[in-house]
Each structure stands twice: as C-alpha cells, then as structure tokens.
Amino acid sequence: SSGINAEYGAGYNNIDIEKAKELGITVYRIPAYSPEAVAEHAMSLMMTINRNIHLAYNRTRENNYSLEGLQGETIFGSTIGVIGAGRIGQCFIKIAKGFGTKIIVFDDFARQNFPQTAKELGFEYVDKETLFKNSDFISIHAPLLESTKHIVNKKTLSIMKKNAIIINTARGGLVNTKDLINAIDACKIRGAGLDVYENESGIFFFDCCNKMICDITLSRLRANRNIVLTSHQAFFTNLALRQIAEVTMNNVELALKNDLGFTGLELLEDGKIKNG
C-alpha cells in the first residue's frame, strides 16, 4: 500500500474505507483495549445519576446538606438491560451481576453466534422491545451501524419505565439526543449518563471555555440536572493508554510488512469489511 492510517481507537465509522482502498491506504484499528475501563465508567455514570451524586456534590460545596431531591433507587434486585454483548458489554455484565441484578441483553449477532455466553455470564438474550420495556437501567455497548443508529429514539423511549436510566459510553449516534432530552424533560424516563454525543466532533477533547458553541442540543444536555455528560473519557485510564500505544506500534510494524494481521481493515467484494 502507499499509505498507512493507524487509528488510535476501535471505531472506524469516521473513515471512508472504500476511499482509503482507492487511494492505496491501509487502515488499522485497535479492536480492544482495556474494555474494563469503559465498562467501569458506564457503571460510574449509572451510579452517579441513580444516587444524584452530581447534585449532592454541588450542594455540599455551597454548604447545603439537605437530602431533598436526592433519593435514588436500590440497584440490587433491579433489571439491567445491556445493548451489545461484545468485550465491553460482557465486562459491564460482570460488574452489574455483582450488584445482584437480573441482566437482559439485546444483541442479535451475539445471540446467533455466541449463544453460550448467556449461560456462562448468567444473562438472558431478549428482543429490543422487551429490553426497553423491562429494564430499570440500560447501558449501551454496541457499534454504530445502520441497524443501530438512533436505537434510542422517540419510539423506544416511549415504552420505557418512567423511572429508567440510560447510559451510553459507546457511540453518540446510537442515541437520538433530542428525543432523549425531550423524554427526560417530559418525565418519561428519569435520566441519562452520556460519555458520547452524536455531534461531539470538534468539541470533545478540546477546552472550549472561551469559545461560543452554537449547539442548542448540547446546551440542553449540559443544563439538564438529570443528565450527566462526560467528554468521551470512558477509555481514559493508564492501563488503556499503554495498551493503545502498544497495539498502535504493532499495527505500524504490520503495515510495513504489508500484513493485515487481525487489526487491518480490508473492503471485500461483497461490501463487508475484513477485521471490522
């Protein structure tokens, strides 16, 4: 190939693989790095929203020690829905099981190809509607595909429990942000913890304190007391960064040898992507 694109992450939805092939550029990605880090952050967001820790933190800084409005729910005995049973999803399931919860999972690919995982980890595969209807908490760990884009939308939000909480540490485009905010404002669900946002490009990872950001949806996210927003930091641990650096250097070595290995992406004739 005449060029190398060594992605510093797992997702490649922002890359035109067909164009890269046309230009002779080989794209490599990092399919997995410390999935525990992302799963732990998802649980942190869930705990924060559920127990209103963000509100309590701000109050005590102002010398306000009232408990009014801080009541949460006991996670033990609840039902947690997980969308996506890949590496990160499985790590989250293991953490959630430790709270004494029932786990239900929507992932048609995993259900068909890895049915044994449900028994091994102690969860039940269900359809999408069942998951949204029956979950007290939903954590999203799915890739962004045409079939998963805006999987959280007005329709799916409308069948959720009124006290439910949604967590997204995967990809911003999995959630229709306006529909989510409207559902929370209308008290159709309780709240959300988001580490990603569908229009985050050019904003997340940057200090925008002295910039005018003309994004009404982002302003609504930031202003809503029932939403905790972090800046795509779920992966950001020392262990994960070491693993990312190691795999990236290995990808460069593979590229110099014209070897795709298990991380090089190749567009096949049927339109599918090898190692994708």
Side-chain angles (χ1 to χ4, degrees), residues 114-175:
F114 310 105
Q116 73 281 0
T117 307
K119 185 176 181 180
E120 292 169 357
L121 296 185
F123 67 81
E124 178 188 357
Y125 281 118
V126 296
D127 58 53
K128 181 171 66 175
E129 185 175 292
T130 298
L131 183 136
F132 277 98
K133 274 186 176 180
N134 294 286
S135 299
D136 298 298
F137 304 92
I138 293 176
S139 192
I140 307 173
H141 303 285
L144 180 59
L145 309 168
E146 282 299 319
S147 59
T148 60
K149 184 176 181 180
H150 287 178
I151 193 169
V152 175
N153 54 57
K154 186 176 181 179
K155 183 179 179 180
T156 51
L157 287 161
S158 69
I159 62 175
M160 289 179 64
K161 295 181 178 181
K162 287 190 176 181
N163 212 32
I165 288 173
I166 286 181
I167 305 299
N168 185 16
T169 54
R171 287 289 180 266
L174 295 164
V175 175

